Amino acid sequence: LAQAFIVQKEIPVLFDTLSNRIIIQSTSPNMIDKITTLIRQTFPDIQLTLVENKNNNLAKQLTQWIIHPQTLPDGFELAQDC
């Protein structure tokens, strides 16, 4: 017999109200889409823009931003400890 299971996942989502950013800790495009859909349903007037990671390797992208901070997206800056 088929069994139905409810799978729960905890995906951290940070609402940065000072910088007007939402940070979703997930690499799954499907999960990001589900979360942004839920956010849009909850806040119908919200405008969301994806910050693209052109090389699809977050660790490599973060390293590049630390080595070359001038390549950070507009509005991003490194903290003093970086």
Side-chain angles (χ1 to χ4, degrees), residues 50-70:
L50 178 64
V51 175
E52 295 278 342
N53 181 6
K54 295 180 177 113
N55 61 19
N56 290 328
N57 184 330
L58 185 57
K60 186 175 180 180
Q61 182 65 62
L62 292 173
T63 301
Q64 287 300 313
W65 285 343
I66 290 171
I67 294 170
H68 305 288
Q70 69 276 14

Side-chain angles (χ1 to χ4, degrees), residues 8-60:
Q8 292 184 346
K9 289 186 178 183
E10 187 174 304
I11 307 293
V13 178
L14 172 68
F15 289 85
D16 180 355
T17 57
L18 295 177
S19 300
N20 292 325
R21 289 193 172 86
I22 299 172
I23 300 166
I24 302 169
Q25 188 174 332
S26 177
T27 57
S28 165
N30 187 39
M31 186 57 64
I32 292 170
D33 185 53
K34 287 179 181 181
I35 292 170
T36 56
T37 298
L38 180 60
I39 292 169
R40 285 185 175 106
Q41 289 172 348
T42 305
F43 306 102
D45 295 332
I46 198 167
Q47 294 180 353
L48 301 177
T49 304
L50 178 64
V51 175
E52 295 278 342
N53 181 6
K54 295 180 177 113
N55 61 19
N56 290 328
N57 184 330
L58 185 57
K60 186 175 180 180

